[in-house]
Amino acid sequence: MTYYVDIKANANGNGTKEKPFNKIQLAADIAIPGDEVIVAPGIYRENVNPKNGGTEAKRITYRSEKPLAAHISGAEPLTNWTKLEGNVYTARVSNKIFGDYNPYKTLVSGDWFIAYMIAHTGDVFLNGKSMYEVQSLDEVKEAKIFVPSWDHEFSIYKWYSEQDEAKDETIFYANFQGKDPNKENVEITARRNCFYPSEEGHGFITFSGFTVSQAATQWAPPTAYQEGMIGPHWSKGWIIEDCEIYESKCSGISLGKYRQPENDNKWLKWKFKDGTQTERDCICQAQIEGWTKENIGSHIVRRCNIHDCGQTGIVGHLGGVFSLIEDNHIHHINNKQNLAGAEIGGIKMHAAIDCIYRRNHIHDCTRGLWLDWQAQGTRVTQNFFHDNVLPKEYNQNDESMGGCAEDLFIEVSHGPTLVDNNIFLSDKAVKMCTQGVALVHNLIAGSFVAVGKGVNNGAATLSSPRYTPYHMPHRTEVAGFMTILHGDCKFYNNIFVQQPMRPALKKGMDNCINNEWDDGNIITGTFKYDDYPTYEEWLKQFEGYCGMGSPASDRYYSKLPVWSEGNIYFNGAKAMKKEVNAYVDTKNKVELGWEEKDGKVQLKTNLYELLKSLPKETAEKYRLLRTDDIMMAFEPEEKYENPDGSPITFDTDFFGKKRSGTIIPGPFAGTDEISKPLF
């Protein structure tokens, strides 16, 4: 059956085309498998709670009648502002509009959240853009630039709230910098979510073509119930497509964890077990409470424009397994820098088992894509990353360096994590506190960061390695736990281009020499693996030994081998000393950048002109790679293969064009591909 919703309809509608409902929730209360809900243009100020899920054969579909014209908002207009003085105005609102969740009494909090300031889950919005919360009326009046922000120009728009308990009202103060709030669109957050089931297990829902904005979501660490403005809430088979999603206080889309009442933010509350231990507990508990391939995950998020969220564009732990994230534009995440912690990025996913991230455009985030723990069977392919490291010069200062991140962060995973046919243009390309990674046919203009670092828990004097799980291939069942030995990485047919080193980042690198978490490296190339063994060198440790009774040695805990072959290096990018068939160009200067013109994104570079003039004997050495050419990931003993276990032939480039004949390194099949728009 098809139900119709129109915000302009009368309140007594029955859901037919002639008499539509005037709220989406009215349709969500009765939709059953096979039904479709068509929503007319308009702003729907409600928190839609789907009461039923579909089935694999009969989905429930919610669709905007016109693309992006049906707008689900977590905000309410705030009018009747009174001038207090200068640019500062004040307004009041009854707390009754918030129901049982008042975002201005609720603080952002949770495991791994750094509460360096009081931050409420609510916000004040000027023409759809969130203003900056401060701690006092005096700060509203002063309206100083917030130095860590990536947007100094807007950071002077301040707000502050306080409670009038006697009248049960929230009082707002805001500095509108000369604008009259009674003539502008001023809104406040009023709802926690926008389209989110309150119960677990409502799977196979399609959510298509909506604009979604301005919900008071809570911090979403891996050890807690993870929520977003939109999300499947621990179910299977959702499709979220063709949406614009923006201005969530914390996360836009959550593919994350259900609530474990006795183990929810336990590190914050109980404190006697560290975060890593409580996270292991969460995983093992989920294992016996239904976390399986048959029940959870296999979601699709595609063709969405996700931007201006405070914590993440997409977040998830456990609940996002076997998912496909493709063709999304994810940008300007955590740019306000008012929220801080270890769970921030354009995408932040734990346990991205057999997840595929492809053809996404990710930029201007304080971290692009963060794959934390259990990036097993994960593939990152055909994506374009740029400007994920402090893009504006005014950010290059000591107060802002904490927001200096990278395009891709792979942390304490055992792999196999496959990174192929991507373009990385930020100063820092991949943070490698991990093992079991293969990089194939990428264009890399940034550095590898924290190689051999960042895998311990940070105890002051005692050993504190992080033991993380690995799984049965293409399943959720835990096969074992192990610390990170480092290495087990493979680099084939990549192009490395050293970009000019920005002075503040160079200073940061020099200051991080003894930092156990992050070396701040901005020198491009594989040279950070110079002291890692080749496979043949590693094997020699085991010659003549037969298990028990063998003399004591470090062979089971030493660095794992590294493979590197057929990479090209420009502009001073450095090859590892043991690389096979490395081509280091010391004569030519590569110019590399990008531009947007007429709505199309395109590379600006002379790189592929230079590749045309490679020496013949060099060009003939590059080979077409397949799964069997790459050593399996050591700990899970799993190959770099498709989620169904079938092998991969790396014959498809960034654009989907097939490689044939002469193989060239980098993400493009031919030297003429560079003329095509990327998006």
Side-chain angles (χ1 to χ4, degrees):
M1 186 169 181
T2 300
Y3 295 103
Y4 294 86
V5 180
D6 190 338
I7 189 68
K8 298 184 291 293
N10 294 325
N12 61 351
N14 59 12
T16 62
K17 193 169 187 178
E18 295 73 23
K19 297 183 67 178
F21 294 131
N22 67 350
K23 292 182 180 296
I24 303 171
Q25 186 62 56
L26 295 173
D29 285 339
I30 59 175
I32 60 174
D35 287 348
E36 184 174 27
V37 178
I38 305 297
V39 184
I43 299 179
Y44 295 81
R45 300 186 185 276
E46 53 180 310
N47 180 2
V48 181
N49 174 19
K51 294 298 177 68
N52 299 303
T55 67
E56 190 167 9
K58 293 184 177 182
R59 308 181 66 82
I60 299 178
T61 298
Y62 295 80
R63 191 180 309 280
S64 175
E65 183 182 47
K66 295 181 179 179
L68 304 181
H71 182 174
I72 305 176
S73 174
E76 291 287 338
L78 183 56
T79 57
N80 298 318
W81 289 87
T82 302
K83 179 177 281 194
L84 189 66
E85 62 177 70
N87 294 324
V88 179
Y89 288 73
T90 186
R92 288 173 170 259
V93 65
S94 169
N95 288 334
K96 292 179 181 178
I97 73 165
F98 303 124
D100 59 1
Y101 179 80
N102 186 335
Y104 305 96
K105 290 184 178 180
T106 307
L107 298 180
V108 177
S109 66
D111 288 351
W112 284 282
F113 176 68
I114 301 173
Y116 73 93
M117 62 171 280
I118 294 174
H120 290 93
T121 58
D123 255 321
V124 177
F125 303 93
L126 175 61
N127 298 323
K129 187 170 183 177
S130 61
M131 299 170 66
Y132 285 66
E133 183 178 12
V134 291
Q135 313 305 302
S136 68
L137 177 56
D138 287 341
E139 291 176 84
V140 173
K141 295 175 180 178
E142 191 175 13
K144 292 174 62 176
I145 287 173
F146 185 52
V147 175
S149 171
W150 285 27
D151 185 3
H152 281 189
E153 294 81 355
F154 197 74
S155 73
I156 59 175
Y157 289 81
K158 309 288 191 181
W159 70 270
Y160 166 69
S161 70
E162 59 187 19
Q163 295 297 314
D164 185 334
E165 301 292 349
K167 295 183 178 180
D168 194 25
E169 293 179 339
T170 300
I171 309 169
F172 293 93
Y173 303 93
N175 191 324
F176 294 103
Q177 297 298 331
K179 294 181 171 62
D180 184 346
N182 295 308
K183 296 180 180 179
E184 306 288 339
N185 177 25
V186 180
E187 299 167 287
I188 58 170
T189 323
R191 285 168 287 279
R192 186 165 187 160
N193 314 106
C194 290
F195 190 90
Y196 207 92
S198 62
E199 297 178 343
E200 301 165 17
H202 295 332
F204 299 104
I205 288 175
T206 295
F207 184 75
S208 182
F210 290 85
T211 296
V212 181
S213 70
Q214 299 159 290
T217 52
Q218 183 56 280
W219 185 254
T223 48
Y225 165 57
Q226 292 182 307
E227 64 178 12
M229 290 198 295
I230 309 166
H233 193 180
W234 202 246
S235 65
K236 184 174 181 177
W238 274 45
I239 298 174
I240 301 169
E241 62 183 11
D242 301 308
C243 294
E244 181 175 9
I245 298 161
Y246 65 93
E247 285 289 6
S248 174
K249 182 67 178 198
C250 290
S251 295
I253 296 174
S254 171
L255 306 178
K257 196 177 77 62
Y258 67 111
R259 190 185 303 278
Q260 297 173 336
E262 302 304 315
N263 199 22
D264 193 67
N265 284 315
K266 188 173 182 178
W267 188 27
L268 177 70
K269 298 172 182 175
W270 200 52
K271 302 183 186 302
F272 302 111
K273 291 183 178 180
D274 69 25
T276 294
Q277 192 171 354
T278 57
E279 189 169 341
R280 285 192 293 262
D281 290 350
C282 285
I283 294 165
C284 292
Q285 181 177 338
Q287 195 85 79
I288 64 170
E289 292 182 346
W291 181 50
T292 67
K293 188 174 186 176
E294 290 71 29
N295 296 332
I296 302 298
S298 298
H299 306 298
I300 298 173
V301 179
R302 61 192 177 199
R303 301 187 301 273
C304 291
N305 179 13
I306 307 170
H307 59 95
D308 292 287
C309 297
Q311 180 190 342
T312 64
I314 302 173
V315 73
H317 182 212
L318 306 177
V321 289
F322 314 112
S323 291
L324 174 62
I325 314 296
E326 65 177 357
D327 297 307
N328 299 289
H329 185 195
I330 302 174
H331 56 104
H332 296 93
I333 301 298
N334 190 237
N335 284 184
K336 290 173 71 175
Q337 290 281 292
N338 60 322
L339 303 183
E343 306 303 325
I344 285 171
I347 303 174
K348 174 64 195 286
M349 292 281 285
H350 287 75
I353 298 171
D354 280 359
C355 287
I356 298 175
Y357 302 85
R358 70 184 178 201
R359 297 191 303 269
N360 300 290
H361 183 193
I362 302 177
H363 64 94
D364 288 278
C365 302
T366 53
R367 175 165 281 126
L369 168 59
W370 188 350
L371 300 173
D372 201 352
W373 293 43
Q374 305 149 277
Q376 182 170 331
T378 308
R379 188 175 185 184
V380 179
T381 183
Q382 300 170 304
N383 302 283
F384 180 34
F385 297 87
H386 63 88
D387 292 301
N388 294 309
V389 180
L390 300 175
K392 296 181 180 179
E393 290 310 308
Y394 63 52
N395 294 128
Q396 307 294 317
N397 55 70
D398 291 340
E399 289 185 66
S400 297
M401 294 304 286
C404 181
E406 55 285 318
D407 285 333
L408 172 62
F409 183 10
I410 310 170
E411 185 173 11
V412 291
S413 175
H414 302 283
T417 308
L418 176 59
V419 181
D420 68 287
N421 292 290
N422 301 283
I423 301 170
F424 297 99
L425 293 193
S426 295
D427 307 74
K428 300 179 181 182
V430 188
K431 193 170 185 178
M432 298 277 274
C433 307
T434 194
Q435 64 188 49
V437 180
L439 286 98
V440 183
H441 277 293
N442 300 286
L443 173 56
I444 302 171
S447 60
F448 293 149
V449 186
V451 171
K453 292 177 177 283
V455 302
N456 295 323
N457 262 338
T461 61
L462 300 176
S463 176
S464 57
R466 279 191 282 179
Y467 286 84
T468 58
Y470 54 95
H471 300 261
M472 302 301 295
H474 312 298
R475 299 287 305 176
T476 60
E477 288 80 6
V478 174
F481 290 83
M482 186 56 186
T483 187
I484 301 300
L485 300 177
H486 300 290
D488 193 28
C489 292
K490 299 91 178 175
F491 307 100
Y492 294 106
N493 292 1
N494 301 288
I495 299 174
F496 294 90
V497 180
Q498 177 69 58
Q499 296 283 60
M501 296 185 193
R502 293 192 278 174
L505 298 182
K506 175 64 167 59
K507 179 182 176 183
M509 178 175 65
D510 294 341
N511 290 339
C512 284
I513 293 174
N514 297 317
N515 190 319
E516 290 301 315
W517 289 95
D518 189 341
D519 59 6
N521 178 48
I522 56 170
I523 302 171
T524 302
T526 54
F527 72 100
K528 281 287 185 176
Y529 290 93
D530 277 350
D531 63 346
Y532 284 71
T534 65
Y535 183 59
E536 292 72 21
E537 290 170 338
W538 180 75
L539 280 178
K540 288 181 180 178
Q541 300 177 88
F542 299 90
E543 290 178 358
Y545 296 130
C546 55
M548 289 298 295
S550 299
S553 82
D554 294 330
R555 60 188 176 276
Y556 294 113
Y557 304 96
S558 63
K559 293 176 180 177
L560 296 169
V562 171
W563 294 256
S564 192
E565 179 182 345
N567 302 296
I568 297 180
Y569 300 81
F570 287 101
N571 295 4
K574 297 181 178 181
M576 62 180 289
K577 294 175 181 178
K578 301 173 185 177
E579 178 163 336
V580 178
N581 294 332
Y583 181 76
V584 181
D585 186 310
T586 59
K587 297 179 180 179
N588 297 296
K589 174 72 173 178
V590 169
E591 302 294 335
L592 183 57
W594 68 279
E595 65 179 350
E596 185 172 355
K597 189 175 182 180
D598 299 326
K600 300 291 185 180
V601 176
Q602 191 160 352
L603 284 182
K604 295 174 60 180
T605 183
N606 63 340
L607 171 61
Y608 282 80
E609 289 300 314
L610 297 177
L611 291 181
K612 291 178 181 179
S613 59
L614 282 176
K616 182 180 179 181
E617 62 273 17
T618 297
E620 290 175 347
K621 293 178 180 178
Y622 303 118
R623 58 192 175 113
L624 182 65
L625 292 163
R626 298 173 174 83
T627 288
D628 285 345
D629 296 318
I630 304 173
M631 180 62 72
M632 67 182 181
F634 172 76
E635 209 65 66
E637 301 177 28
E638 181 178 337
K639 294 181 178 181
Y640 294 85
E641 59 192 12
N642 288 309
D644 63 2
S646 62
I648 298 170
T649 298
F650 294 92
D651 61 354
T652 305
D653 78 351
F654 180 92
F655 292 112
K657 181 179 178 179
K658 292 294 184 179
R659 294 183 170 93
S660 61
T662 301
I663 302 300
I664 62 171
F668 303 131
T671 54
D672 295 330
E673 298 292 286
I674 192 65
S675 62
K676 296 180 182 179
L678 303 179
F679 298 98

